Amino acid sequence: MLDKSSFSAISTLLDDRVEGRSLPAGLYTREDVFQADMDVFFRKHWIYIGPECDVPEPGDATVIDIAGSSLIMLRDDDGEVRVFHNVCRHRGARILDAGTTVVSKLVCPYHQWTYELTGELAYAPHMGKDFDKTCNSLKPVNFRNIGGLIHVCLSDDPPADIAALEAVGRERLLPYDLRNTRVAHQTDLIENGNWKLTMENNRECYHCSANHPELCVSFIDLDFGFDPESLSPEDRETAARHEAMYAARTADWEAQGHPSAAIEQLTNCATNFRTQRLIISGAGESQTPDATAAVSKLLGIGRKDLGDMHLWGHNSWHHFMGDHIITAMVIPLGPDKTLLRMKWLVHKDAVEGVDYDFDKLTSVWIATNEQDGSLVERSHAGVSDPAYVPGMYSPFTETQLNWFAGWYVDRMRAHGY
Amino acid sequence: MLDKSSFSAISTLLDDRVEGRSLPAGLYTREDVFQADMDVFFRKHWIYIGPECDVPEPGDATVIDIAGSSLIMLRDDDGEVRVFHNVCRHRGARILDAGTTVVSKLVCPYHQWTYELTGELAYAPHMGKDFDKTCNSLKPVNFRNIGGLIHVCLSDDPPADIAALEAVGRERLLPYDLRNTRVAHQTDLIENGNWKLTMENNRECYHCSANHPELCVSFIDLDFGFDPESLSPEDRETAARHEAMYAARTADWEAQGHPSAAIEQLTNCATNFRTQRLIISGAGESQTPDATAAVSKLLGIGRKDLGDMHLWGHNSWHHFMGDHIITAMVIPLGPDKTLLRMKWLVHKDAVEGVDYDFDKLTSVWIATNEQDGSLVERSHAGVSDPAYVPGMYSPFTETQLNWFAGWYVDRMRAHGY
Amino acid sequence: MLDKSSFSAISTLLDDRVEGRSLPAGLYTREDVFQADMDVFFRKHWIYIGPECDVPEPGDATVIDIAGSSLIMLRDDDGEVRVFHNVCRHRGARILDAGTTVVSKLVCPYHQWTYELTGELAYAPHMGKDFDKTCNSLKPVNFRNIGGLIHVCLSDDPPADIAALEAVGRERLLPYDLRNTRVAHQTDLIENGNWKLTMENNRECYHCSANHPELCVSFIDLDFGFDPESLSPEDRETAARHEAMYAARTADWEAQGHPSAAIEQLTNCATNFRTQRLIISGAGESQTPDATAAVSKLLGIGRKDLGDMHLWGHNSWHHFMGDHIITAMVIPLGPDKTLLRMKWLVHKDAVEGVDYDFDKLTSVWIATNEQDGSLVERSHAGVSDPAYVPGMYSPFTETQLNWFAGWYVDRMRAHGY
């Protein structure tokens, strides 16, 4: 797609990246870099497109638009999840509109070409005797169901190292029984910034104490690094106590059969992820205004003392708690525009107003996302300024960003840029 | 305008076109193809810009913006239609605003340069003695009045094969006396799709039965082809009866001196058109909710039993009926944005509420255009998807599209792409 | 930034410019020319960014977004104006939002990096012992305070010929004591046209009599040239009387110690400006609906019989009158979009409703700017039309435009285009 001068400009920008510093401006702002990002990170890597509970029953179908593609995720008559391209094989019309629906077949509204939920073309009038329906099935999409989180790869050559993430899904996510959850709330927030700034913002908590009062009740910003010299004596003591507590709690959880230590695949890999069972602060149960569980009907194995199983992908983050799950999907819309779609999952039988209070469930992350959206916009405006030069990442609080930037450059190189 | 890499990309896309299938995606979606389309099909071919009844009286003037040009169509003091570029010869300011107005001279609001309705510069203050007004007339535009439908060519070398269309105008359109009509209603609908998808949609009725309940009362979708195998026994009988009826009615009309058989200039030509007198279904008079005439004061020769003289151009379609005319003009605004301007013409003396009911006159095509706009958007979204591959046109119902696609490729080639 | 084909296209357009005529279309309309314009005229020349009374007190700070840069203009604790890039040295976030505020330090909201009003980095937590704060001061911007009008140059190599404008500031503007004014009103008007059309429109009054009835009460359009042949005998007499009056008034003002004759640096220069003390028509005091002063508390030396000291820059115009000043800044937003920001300055102690009537103060230029915005839009639409060819400038009323166009071409050439 990109012409030679774009390739060469991008390659120079990748060369310009300095270890320990944020990326050169053009990698955040240029249209051609955005096209390259879509190609490399959203079409040739595994990406997260939503939880399987988006389509709980046979015939349920939902549309996800990402990286220029429109995808249909549905549950077929055998109860299996399937993912297809939302493109009629006749003249290409969109079959389903955005949103969620229930179908018995997939019927293109243009000329009534009709597909089974398996993707097979069942009916195509006026095409004549020589027309071979078997060559005109809906195009399927590679996907993996990882503990209930649906990941797709739009390329025919998907990275094999998804295997490590699949192991995490089996071992750490299945106890939350995502199959038996439902979406209690969803928000679509457009952040006026590059998707990598959205991801960088999510991978550090250096900005949390001054920007996220609601989240900081339950979330411990020091977990993601600190410079002891920057802390007051009291905070330094707190930090030390906290580190000791981590060792004890992790050992305790693991002894009970709940794997908890950090697993990271963040460098020298295609599929970028991190998971760890985190301690929740204060009441210790959930990311709510008072850190107690918001939902009385608990998920899966029914424990609310197992902290927060966090999971990062390169276009997602998730927190699995005893009473609910938040799951965020990042969908780039342009060099300076990114859709953040967040869903709050609760037990499928949990009833609003009976088993949970809506505001208690949702208010922390609604506030946090709005705050982050504003920071990402501020950040994008700055990197777009001719006066921007890549700044130093904190060696204590922004190590993850340094790794992410390095992984980004490596993956671009691996795909020929 | 376009650089070498665009030329070469477009040429490859034209090579990629496969007979019997829809066009390669880029021909519908790329910005450079859109620029080339404007140059070839809207600046170097004859295009339709509106009916002459837009300017019924001397001094009436209207502005048409198309293909980057702003045109003034006016009726001069001798009652003749004229078309000029809406660009002052001083510093280029627009002389008239969008819309219709009445003028005695054309006065540029910037510095009062003043032109006669013949285009001559009459007045230009402060320009000094050496200034030659005769070199600064408004630039005229090549145009032809074809049975009251004004066609222009923005090039200095207009295609000569407009002659065949002029013959049609003389023979088939003049009986409707478009000079003595008026615009009873006009709609501007923006379709979110490429102009060629708008035209393709207009040239098949494969989609009609499922999408156009209002139109199908008077319009017979089978007229534009069907696969007998796809019809029920009853529908097959209807179709056979209908074909027999066509032969009889056409012979009958022609015997009465009303040319009716199809005339097509659709391949191996510059000027693309088709006309035929079509049978109107049911009551047989007009494209209204019950197929009876909407207007009691009839057009021209005053017959409402002469069916529907349809006419296609490459940026227009028209239906001439006994009581009214609908005339549609297609104005591309971008690769994925097309303005459809439709006008409903009635006898100039027909009075709303007395001679016709507004809703009866307009409701069928208002509904049809909205339905088509939605289909074109759905279609454009699909061809923009990386999963789109050109699909097979039906050999029964989409022959006209196959010809249109072939004509498109031929004309691009003829202009050096 | 621009690729070779853009450079070559721009160079050809510059070659195409014909003396005595408006610029070739592409110089007004192309995106790449806009990028070049920003680079040459807004980053490598001195530009006006506002009056110093925008930040009257220590700690006052305001943000100006221009040519892709966001600038902080503030008054430091010593009462000195300073200008910085609004970009945090950490990861580049915007420090201040648009608008005006009061600060004791500049604190980046993202991670609380904190700068003194001198630009020094005072605080940056979690960066470790090896982090050198002294290398991370806010980047300063070259600026000059010219009689209270703040001019910046975003390049490291600012044109030296700003000296002539500085002399004008010292001699002609200081008597108005802009330091002791305040902003009584500000308007932001987006004109849908290229910035050069905004400037051309400002540099001729050929269009005034037909378009600016309010301004023409106090402003004399003939001052900016006329063709005697185009005037009525009465107007010719008026013009002759007026020229005689100019000679007398200018001599009189200068004898009183108020330099008044025209000073121009418009060709063969980098910094483009013109100033002259103009006669105000009618009551002769101010640009108000009846040409009497709007503000009873006069500026600076307290004279309302010294006419109108007009000043042009290449992105600004100003009128210094006895009772108030209007100051206009032109901020290009795109090839076809230009922000015109106008401020009305009055004595800092003048109170609305007591010392002046708001409508009397502001109505003339509010009307004039709206009229000009409409003309610029009309003009831009025209030069974007394929039918546009550069037209002849009037040798009497548009000499300044011919010079501006010539200066434009020269400066582009001087910067390698």
Side-chain angles (χ1 to χ4, degrees), chain C residues 30-260:
Chain C
R30 289 171 63 113
E31 174 66 31
D32 51 11
V33 172
F34 177 73
Q35 298 299 336
D37 279 8
M38 289 305 93
D39 178 43
V40 172
F41 296 96
F42 286 79
R43 302 196 67 82
K44 294 185 176 149
H45 285 74
W46 290 96
I47 52 174
Y48 170 62
I49 62 159
E52 68 163 311
C53 66
D54 273 344
V55 289
E57 302 295 331
D60 286 346
T62 191
V63 169
I64 302 104
D65 292 313
I66 191 163
S69 284
S70 182
L71 308 177
I72 296 171
M73 176 163 92
L74 59 79
R75 198 170 291 273
D76 70 17
D77 296 330
D78 297 330
E80 296 301 312
V81 171
R82 289 178 181 260
V83 186
F84 299 107
H85 289 285
N86 184 16
V87 177
C88 181
R89 298 298 306 274
H90 178 212
R91 276 159 55 200
R94 284 274 173 267
I95 296 168
L96 294 187
D97 291 327
T100 293
T101 186
V102 183
V103 291
S104 57
K105 315 250 183 206
L106 294 164
V107 183
C108 178
Y110 208 163
H111 305 93
Q112 277 58 57
W113 285 33
T114 302
Y115 303 87
E116 302 294 348
L117 300 189
T118 57
E120 281 163 37
L121 179 58
Y123 175 65
H126 296 292
M127 291 304 292
K129 281 180 244 172
D130 298 337
F131 178 70
D132 183 359
K133 288 210 293 273
T134 64
C135 300
N136 284 280
S137 301
L138 285 184
K139 287 190 182 178
V141 177
N142 284 315
F143 78 95
R144 301 288 166 87
N145 184 338
I146 294 181
L149 304 175
I150 307 300
H151 287 69
V152 300
C153 181
L154 295 168
S155 141
D156 291 336
D157 182 24
D161 67 357
I162 188 76
L165 183 57
E166 291 185 282
V168 164
R170 274 191 301 275
E171 186 189 55
R172 300 201 170 187
L173 306 188
L174 285 184
Y176 294 91
D177 192 17
L178 212 143
R179 176 76 180 86
N180 286 305
T181 60
R182 68 175 181 84
V183 179
H185 189 48
Q186 172 177 321
T187 56
D188 275 6
L189 179 72
I190 290 180
E191 300 189 342
N192 293 313
N194 188 265
W195 71 278
K196 297 186 291 291
L197 295 173
T198 298
M199 296 315 302
E200 290 193 35
N201 178 72
N202 182 252
R203 292 199 173 184
E204 51 95 348
C205 219
Y206 186 5
H207 70 277
C208 288
S209 64
N211 287 285
H212 298 317
E214 298 84 356
L215 182 65
C216 284
V217 171
S218 54
F219 201 83
I220 304 159
D221 60 336
L222 298 180
D223 281 6
F224 287 81
F226 59 89
D227 175 0
E229 307 274 326
S230 290
L231 300 187
S232 66
E234 297 75 38
D235 285 352
R236 210 143 45 209
E237 250 176 67
T238 308
R241 263 202 319 275
H242 188 68
E243 280 184 73
M245 188 166 71
Y246 246 96
R249 289 289 290 276
T250 300
D252 188 34
W253 281 329
E254 299 219 326
Q256 295 179 40
H258 302 296
S260 302

Side-chain angles (χ1 to χ4, degrees), chain A residues 91-92 94 110-111 125-126, chain B residues 201 204 206 230 378 382 394 398:
Chain A
R91 277 160 53 201
R94 284 271 173 270
Y110 208 162
H111 304 92
H126 296 291
Chain B
N201 178 72
E204 51 97 347
Y206 185 5
S230 290
R378 181 178 292 286
S394 158
E398 297 176 311

Side-chain angles (χ1 to χ4, degrees), chain B residues 43 67-70 85 87 89-97 109-113 124-129 131 139, chain C residues 200-201 204 206-207 210-211 226-227 230 378-379 381-383 385-388 391-398 401:
Chain B
R43 301 195 68 82
S69 284
S70 182
H85 289 284
V87 177
R89 297 299 305 273
H90 178 212
R91 276 159 55 200
R94 284 272 173 267
I95 296 169
L96 294 187
D97 292 325
Y110 207 163
H111 304 93
Q112 276 58 58
W113 285 32
H126 296 290
M127 292 304 292
K129 281 179 244 172
F131 178 70
K139 289 189 182 177
Chain C
E200 290 193 35
N201 178 72
E204 51 95 348
Y206 186 5
H207 70 277
N211 287 285
F226 59 89
D227 175 0
S230 290
R378 181 178 293 283
S379 201
V383 299
D385 195 297
Y388 165 78
M392 276 190 63
Y393 287 132
S394 159
F396 297 97
T397 59
E398 297 177 311
L401 278 58

Side-chain angles (χ1 to χ4, degrees), chain B residues 203-332:
Chain B
R203 292 198 172 185
E204 51 97 347
C205 220
Y206 185 5
H207 70 277
C208 290
S209 64
N211 287 284
H212 297 319
E214 298 84 357
L215 183 65
C216 283
V217 171
S218 55
F219 200 83
I220 304 159
D221 61 336
L222 298 180
D223 281 6
F224 287 81
F226 59 89
D227 175 1
E229 307 275 326
S230 290
L231 299 187
S232 66
E234 296 75 37
D235 285 352
R236 210 143 44 209
E237 250 176 68
T238 307
R241 263 202 318 275
H242 187 70
E243 280 185 74
M245 187 166 73
Y246 245 96
R249 290 288 292 275
T250 300
D252 188 34
W253 281 328
E254 299 218 328
Q256 295 178 38
H258 302 295
S260 303
I263 300 177
E264 291 182 344
Q265 182 171 291
L266 297 166
T267 53
N268 299 313
C269 59
T271 304
N272 182 304
F273 75 92
R274 181 185 202 281
T275 188
Q276 182 181 1
R277 193 179 305 275
L278 301 174
I279 294 173
I280 292 173
S281 210
E285 297 177 352
S286 192
Q287 289 169 349
T288 61
D290 65 359
T292 65
V295 190
S296 57
K297 205 174 286 291
L298 298 181
L299 299 173
I301 58 172
R303 294 269 302 260
K304 58 182 179 181
D305 60 350
L306 291 176
D308 159 30
M309 182 66 73
H310 99 97
L311 175 63
W312 287 343
H314 82 264
N315 84 316
S316 67
W317 62 87
H318 320 268
H319 292 281
F320 288 75
M321 295 159 286
D323 67 327
H324 78 280
I325 298 163
I326 66 103
T327 172
M329 165 171 33
V330 170
I331 299 180

Side-chain angles (χ1 to χ4, degrees), chain A residues 358-417:
Chain A
F358 180 83
D359 285 340
K360 180 168 180 183
L361 177 70
T362 61
S363 63
V364 168
W365 274 100
I366 286 177
T368 301
N369 289 342
E370 276 167 14
Q371 292 148 357
D372 282 335
S374 156
L375 294 171
V376 166
E377 178 169 353
R378 182 179 292 284
S379 200
H380 192 92
V383 299
S384 304
D385 195 296
Y388 165 77
V389 287
M392 277 190 64
Y393 287 132
S394 158
F396 296 97
T397 60
E398 298 177 310
T399 309
Q400 292 286 354
L401 278 58
N402 190 34
W403 291 351
F404 183 74
W407 175 79
Y408 172 82
V409 171
D410 286 350
R411 298 316 301 162
M412 290 287 273
R413 293 293 189 208
H415 285 278
Y417 289 92

Side-chain angles (χ1 to χ4, degrees), chain B residues 5-26:
Chain B
S5 75
S6 280
F7 262 99
S8 136
I10 294 174
S11 183
T12 302
L13 287 165
L14 295 171
D15 286 343
D16 288 349
R17 201 255 151 166
V18 174
E19 169 67 19
R21 291 185 176 266
S22 54
L23 294 170

